[in-house]
Amino acid sequence: MPTDNRPLAISAPEPRSLELIFSKDALSLLHSKYRIVEADPENIAGLGDDVLGETRYIIGQPPLSKETLDRMPRLRCILNVESNLINNMPYEVLFERGIHVVTTGQVFAEPVAEIGLGFALSLARGIVDADLDFREGRELWGGDGNAKARLISGSDIGIVGFGDLGKALNRVLSGFRATIRVFDPWMPPSILREYGVQPAGLDEVLSGSDFIFAVASVTSENKGFLGAEAFARMREGAAFILLSRADVVDFDALMAAVASGHIVAASDVYPEEPLGKDHPARGLKGFIRSAHRAGALDSAFKKMGDMVLEDMDLMDRGLPPMRCKRAERETVSRMRSKPVTRN
């Protein structure tokens, strides 16, 4: 029997699935180029040495111990397709061995940025409330329905965080001739200026913006850093749009700021998902709700698979991965984003 020399890849992509992240043609290509071993993410260590010893890639983000990694001498890359770098593997060991850890999170940047723009437009023009009023026969016509309406064009916009999502948001806002200020302590001011935005401190972003987009990742240093004091510093009537992770805000303080009428807000993420049926956020006026669906487009998921295949092909040829984002030694241990629980 001829020897199968195709590289071996362990498939453990939960909460995703290969069928979700690969198109039919891409999945066929994956299986034609690689030996795929489906595995329980919680029991990679239970695989035999014949599998672990041959593994070149892991598609997924399963918990791994140093002992399990020691049994994987040929491992080159862990391709995280959930896209949150959680603390479930010894990253220092991976870096010491030159094993890449990459994420596909940038596929969500554009769809999340677009829905963020939709939230901002709706908050600025009262689109959701006006629609509900119309349905119930209490609509206000013409100028009577625009008492609190305003333009995004020419406004002051603040962005908290300037990773892939912040950059995508800046692109979709580019036609509004707004002044965009960005707070991101991990980003050099010169790079921010190259993107056409103004570097700013957090207080300047909070107090000087008509619209504020929170798109920062959750880290060991910033959990809940947007609390009651932060919301109090915002302009009266400012719109706050939360797109990254709920843990960057004190969610109770956010709801209190909206309930008081000081600000309006929208969120795609929550401290607990799914949100309890009796949670106060469900009936909060001035608050637009979205059920963690901003980035969950089939086109985004399928782009994941294409990125994975491209980077695996590069590494097969002795080149570094370039399509997915590589985890950085200095920051990976600080990330605290929760993985999603459902697609």
Side-chain angles (χ1 to χ4, degrees):
M1 177 178 289
T3 302
D4 189 343
N5 292 319
R6 292 176 300 165
L8 190 147
I10 291 176
S11 169
E14 293 182 8
R16 319 286 186 215
S17 67
L18 292 186
E19 290 73 22
L20 176 70
I21 63 178
F22 289 92
S23 67
K24 183 177 180 181
D25 289 344
L27 187 58
S28 177
L29 179 61
L30 177 74
H31 282 285
S32 69
K33 292 186 66 174
Y34 303 96
R35 290 175 286 160
I36 303 299
V37 175
E38 304 278 352
D40 175 2
E42 300 299 322
N43 193 33
I44 300 298
L47 296 173
D49 288 338
D50 57 330
V51 173
L52 296 182
E54 291 292 322
T55 298
R56 183 180 295 183
Y57 305 114
I58 296 176
I59 302 173
Q61 45 288 326
L64 298 169
S65 67
K66 180 182 183 301
E67 292 71 26
T68 301
L69 289 171
D70 286 344
R71 296 167 59 199
M72 307 174 80
R74 298 189 181 185
L75 183 63
R76 292 188 188 177
C77 186
I78 297 171
L79 298 118
N80 182 321
V81 294
E82 203 286 327
S83 300
N84 289 295
L85 290 165
I86 54 179
N87 191 27
N88 67 347
M89 56 187 73
Y91 291 104
E92 69 282 358
V93 173
L94 295 166
F95 286 121
E96 286 171 6
R97 287 182 48 187
I99 298 170
H100 297 293
V101 180
V102 301
T103 76
T104 57
Q106 63 182 285
V107 302
F108 298 126
E110 189 170 68
V112 175
E114 287 195 5
I115 205 170
L117 173 60
F119 291 154
L121 286 166
S122 184
L123 290 170
R125 304 300 296 273
I127 295 171
V128 171
D129 287 343
D131 174 72
L132 291 173
D133 287 345
F134 207 114
R135 295 184 191 202
E136 296 177 9
R138 59 171 186 264
E139 73 276 6
L140 297 175
W141 292 83
D144 292 337
N146 282 328
K148 295 183 179 180
R150 53 191 162 145
L151 296 178
I152 295 179
S153 297
S155 66
D156 293 309
I157 293 176
I159 300 177
V160 180
F162 206 69
D164 291 328
L165 177 50
K167 295 180 181 71
L169 189 58
N170 185 47
R171 289 195 298 273
V172 301
L173 292 169
S174 62
F176 287 92
R177 308 182 310 282
T179 298
I180 299 178
R181 298 180 180 89
V182 172
F183 169 72
D184 190 329
W186 290 7
M187 187 72 67
S190 61
I191 293 181
L192 294 176
R193 294 189 187 98
E194 288 173 3
Y195 280 93
V197 300
Q198 297 181 14
L202 180 59
D203 186 67
E204 185 179 2
V205 166
L206 296 176
S207 63
S209 301
D210 302 304
F211 301 87
I212 300 169
F213 295 86
V215 295
S217 297
V218 182
T219 72
S220 57
E221 299 151 355
N222 73 357
K223 186 173 180 178
F225 79 108
L226 295 172
E229 292 184 5
F231 298 123
R233 293 204 299 273
M234 294 179 188
R235 291 177 176 175
E236 186 79 24
F240 179 78
I241 297 108
L242 177 58
L243 296 173
S244 53
R245 285 292 185 263
D247 277 352
V248 298
V249 307
D250 177 333
F251 214 81
D252 289 339
L254 170 60
M255 290 189 297
V258 174
S260 72
H262 179 62
I263 63 172
V264 292
S267 184
D268 185 55
V269 291
Y270 304 90
E272 297 178 0
E273 298 180 5
L275 201 64
K277 296 295 185 182
D278 58 348
H279 195 282
R282 291 187 177 272
L284 186 60
K285 186 173 177 58
F287 188 64
I288 296 178
R289 295 146 285 260
S290 175
H292 205 144
R293 51 183 292 274
L297 274 67
D298 186 66
S299 58
F301 289 128
K302 296 302 186 286
K303 190 174 180 180
M304 274 187 182
D306 294 340
M307 292 167 63
V308 166
L309 281 172
E310 285 185 319
D311 271 351
M312 289 169 69
D313 178 68
L314 286 170
M315 288 182 281
D316 289 343
R317 294 184 282 126
L319 298 170
M322 297 180 66
R323 196 65 184 87
C324 301
K325 176 179 281 189
R326 280 184 275 180
E328 299 291 348
R329 181 189 299 267
E330 293 81 5
T331 57
V332 65
S333 63
R334 302 183 187 184
M335 307 307 285
R336 294 293 185 273
S337 291
K338 295 179 182 178
V340 300
T341 56
R342 60 174 64 185
N343 295 325

